[in-house]
Amino acid sequence: DIQMTQSPSAMSASVGDRVTITCRASQGISNSLAWFQQKPGKVPKRLIYAASSLQSGVPSRFSGSGSGTEFTLTISSLQPEDFATYYCLHYKSYPLTFGQGTKMEIK
Amino acid sequence: EVQLVESGGGLVQPGGSLRLSCAASGFIFSDHYMDWVRQAPGKGLEWVGRSRNKANSYTTEYAASVKGRFSISRDDSKNSLYLQMNSLKIEDTAVYYCARSVYGGSYSDQFDFWGQGTLVTVSS
């Protein structure tokens, strides 16, 4: 099985900061990776698919990059509504696996 | 408008069974794969399993944690997806989400829409 390791597991940042979350796969997954945002008590929302394709309707401050085993989600200028938990998901093979999540908190 | 509505959650004793349903609308259900994802209280997301479409013989895939106990099926005539859960364990307690998945060999629709979730509590 392919394991996904996200870092950091939690972080605090300020409005306007540029932030980056990393996801590492235990083996190469090409670009078969998606990123999700989840706010407390809410349904996960897809932000990025195919590692770098922005979901329709998602603000352009969100971007994804990477291929193979290392991937990043970047928020160019953090907004108040961005404080949430973020997950990566690989879909290269079965079983699909999520990263353990990164909780973004207000500094 | 794409909508996914789960139902069937509730309280069940360890060893018991439960069947979840997911009613889909607003898209061509029969063309899409469909997935189940769960989230234990205060924990992260866990993929549960997948149903492929008719073109792919409705075959299924499961996470190791549920394989042999859970079964995914679908009724395209009712635009509905099901999750039959048997031999339930306390660790199966979670919110269960259905999500739209692969379409026509493209992954662009995968996990783009989710239901609101249904809570399953396994407890004596």
Side-chain angles (χ1 to χ4, degrees):
Chain A
D1 296 1
I2 298 173
Q3 308 303 319
M4 304 302 294
T5 303
Q6 261 183 260
S7 60
S9 55
M11 64 183 299
S12 59
S14 301
V15 172
D17 284 353
R18 179 183 179 88
V19 298
T20 296
I21 299 169
T22 297
C23 205
R24 288 186 173 86
S26 59
Q27 58 186 273
I29 59 170
S30 185
N31 69 335
S32 300
L33 186 105
W35 289 97
F36 298 85
Q37 176 193 66
Q38 187 179 32
K39 297 179 181 179
K42 300 296 186 182
V43 176
K45 173 186 176 182
R46 191 178 73 170
L47 302 175
I48 301 285
Y49 62 97
S52 59
S53 295
L54 189 67
Q55 171 73 27
S56 175
V58 172
S60 59
R61 63 180 180 273
F62 290 92
S63 65
S65 65
S67 183
T69 61
E70 187 153 336
F71 301 85
T72 58
L73 174 70
T74 299
I75 309 173
S76 60
S77 178
L78 204 61
Q79 297 302 300
E81 60 268 29
D82 300 337
F83 291 95
T85 300
Y86 293 84
Y87 297 93
C88 62
L89 166 73
H90 95 78
Y91 49 90
K92 179 63 175 175
S93 61
Y94 297 103
L96 282 62
T97 49
F98 288 89
Q100 78 276 19
T102 296
K103 187 173 184 179
M104 185 85 65
E105 297 176 318
I106 301 174
K107 184 182 287 184
Chain B
E1 179 193 6
V2 173
Q3 285 197 340
L4 297 168
V5 179
E6 300 94 338
S7 60
L11 176 64
V12 61
Q13 291 188 337
S17 298
L18 208 58
R19 188 197 197 204
L20 306 184
S21 299
C22 171
S25 60
F27 66 101
I28 304 174
F29 178 78
S30 59
D31 283 348
H32 282 78
Y33 295 12
M34 294 293 295
D35 286 72
W36 288 98
V37 175
R38 68 183 180 182
Q39 187 168 35
K43 302 297 184 183
L45 300 170
E46 179 185 17
W47 177 78
V48 172
R50 167 170 289 179
S51 167
R52 296 184 181 89
N53 57 10
K54 181 179 181 180
N56 289 277
S57 304
Y58 298 125
T59 52
T60 53
E61 302 285 349
Y62 298 95
S65 59
V66 307
K67 197 168 186 178
R69 300 187 299 121
F70 289 13
S71 177
I72 298 174
S73 61
R74 60 195 291 165
D75 185 338
D76 288 352
S77 69
K78 295 181 179 179
N79 287 346
S80 290
L81 177 74
Y82 305 101
L83 179 65
Q84 177 67 42
M85 304 185 294
N86 298 329
S87 304
L88 280 160
K89 304 175 181 180
I90 291 175
E91 53 265 38
D92 294 319
T93 295
V95 174
Y96 284 75
Y97 298 100
C98 64
R100 190 171 80 163
S101 196
V102 179
Y103 166 68
S106 167
Y107 293 89
S108 61
D109 286 1
Q110 187 174 227
F111 298 106
D112 62 345
F113 287 95
W114 298 56
Q116 83 289 349
T118 187
L119 176 63
V120 172
T121 303
V122 184
S123 175
S124 55

